[in-house]
Amino acid sequence: MKTVNVGALSVSNDAPLTLIAGPCQLESADHAQMIAGTLAEACATAGVQYVFKGSYDKANRTSLNAPAPLGLDKGLAVLEGVRNAIGCPVITDIHSEDQCEPVASVVDVMQIPAFLCRQTALLLAAGRSGAAINIKKGQFLAPWDMANVVAKVESTGNNKLLLTERGASFGYNNLVVDMCSLPEMAKTGYPVVMDATHAVAKPGGLGSASGGQRELAPVLARAAVSLGIAALFTETHEDPDNAPCDGPNMIYLRDMPALIESWAAFDQLAKSNLIRL
C-alpha cells in the first residue's frame, strides 16, 4: 500500500484514519477557521488525522442563480489563513488547467471534481504541479475504470494520489454507493477515500438546487470505515439549512465530534484485522 504525504500527515489505507472535512463553499476567514478549529480539536482527541476542506469556486452548481463563491484569490487567502492559524493541511477543488499553478502554491492537496475526472488536460496539468491530488470517481465510472485515470497522472511522474468514492448515478436525481468499489480502488495501492456526504446528495433534486439525506451520511461513513480505508470526506456546517451550497447533505457541525470518535473506533477495529482483495 502506497503512503501519500499530505503536509505533515502520512495517508495510507493501512494508517490511522484521516478526516477531510469542512464547509462545501468557503464563506469567510473567520467562518473557515471556526469550523477547522472545531474539527481539528475533535480529531486530535479521537486520534484521527485532519485535513480542512473548502471550495473557493463551485463550477458545477445546479442553477445560474446559486450564491456566488469567494473566487480564486480570496479563497486561497482563506485557505492559507486556515493552514497558518490551525496548523492543518488544506484541500480545495480545481476546475481548469490555469488554476493548477496558483492553487498548488497554497494548498496541500488539489481535488479533481467527479465530473472532471476524465479531463485529460486537467489531470496532466494537476500532475505536473507536483501537488498531492485527490481524484473523485465520476458518478458515471466503474471503480476499475479509475486505473486509467491514475495512469494519466502517473505519466507526469506524480504518484501522490488519493482516490475518492462518492456514489454512482442510479436513475434520475439519485445516487447509490457500492461498498465493493472501495476495496476495488484500493487494488491500485493508492489511499482510498469515502465521500459520505456527496454520496447522499440528490443531484438537482430540488429543481433549482440539489437535495440530500444528511441523516444517512454517518451510516455510509461507518460502513466505509469498517472496510479499512485511508480517509473519510465529509462536509459540515453549523447551520446547513442556510449554507450557500449542499446544505441538505451536510452534517451539523455540533454532531461531528461524537461521530469522529465513533469512526475512529471502527477504523481501529478494521485496521487490526484488514481484509484485502
Side-chain angles (χ1 to χ4, degrees), residues 11-252:
V11 182
S12 168
N13 295 322
D14 297 334
L17 185 68
T18 297
L19 177 69
I20 302 170
C24 177
Q25 185 170 309
L26 292 170
E27 299 176 34
S28 69
D30 289 344
H31 184 256
Q33 290 182 31
M34 180 275 292
I35 290 181
T38 300
L39 295 175
E41 181 179 356
C43 285
T45 299
V48 171
Q49 302 188 118
Y50 176 58
V51 180
F52 174 79
K53 178 271 167 187
S55 297
Y56 60 81
D57 190 12
K58 301 301 296 182
N60 55 356
R61 301 295 296 277
T62 301
S63 170
L64 181 63
N65 299 318
L70 289 184
L72 180 65
D73 293 337
K74 290 181 180 179
L76 289 181
V78 168
L79 290 165
E80 188 170 31
V82 168
R83 188 164 64 172
N84 292 337
I86 308 301
C88 62
V90 295
I91 179 174
T92 195
D93 301 293
I94 56 171
H95 300 90
S96 61
E97 299 161 59
D98 62 316
Q99 294 176 355
C100 292
E101 184 175 347
V103 172
S105 70
V106 173
V107 307
D108 300 277
V109 188
M110 297 197 299
Q111 184 164 277
I112 305 293
F115 287 126
L116 300 178
C117 72
R118 285 183 53 149
Q119 295 295 105
T120 302
L122 178 61
L123 291 168
L124 295 179
R128 287 191 292 266
S129 76
I133 304 167
N134 180 33
I135 308 173
K136 289 196 172 184
K137 179 177 73 65
Q139 301 92 324
F140 43 83
L141 283 186
W144 43 85
D145 291 334
M146 287 296 282
N148 295 316
V149 176
V150 166
K152 292 179 182 181
V153 180
E154 285 181 331
S155 73
T156 69
N158 189 333
N159 58 4
K160 295 182 288 186
L161 302 178
L162 311 176
L163 306 179
T164 295
E165 169 61 56
R166 55 135 308 151
S169 294
F170 188 72
Y172 298 124
N173 306 120
N174 197 36
L175 300 171
V176 67
V177 176
D178 177 6
M179 287 294 167
C180 293
S181 71
L182 297 168
E184 185 66 40
M185 288 197 294
K187 289 180 180 179
T188 63
Y190 286 106
V192 171
V193 185
M194 177 67 210
D195 180 345
T197 46
H198 285 107
V200 299
K202 300 290 184 182
L206 299 180
S208 61
S210 292
Q213 294 177 280
R214 74 169 66 96
E215 70 276 9
L216 295 180
V219 177
L220 290 182
R222 178 181 291 192
V225 169
S226 298
L227 296 175
I229 59 174
L232 274 179
F233 179 107
T234 64
E235 290 184 335
T236 183
H237 196 279
E238 78 284 0
D239 185 14
D241 289 332
N242 290 298
C245 180
D246 276 0
N249 50 274
M250 282 200 284
I251 298 172
Y252 278 97

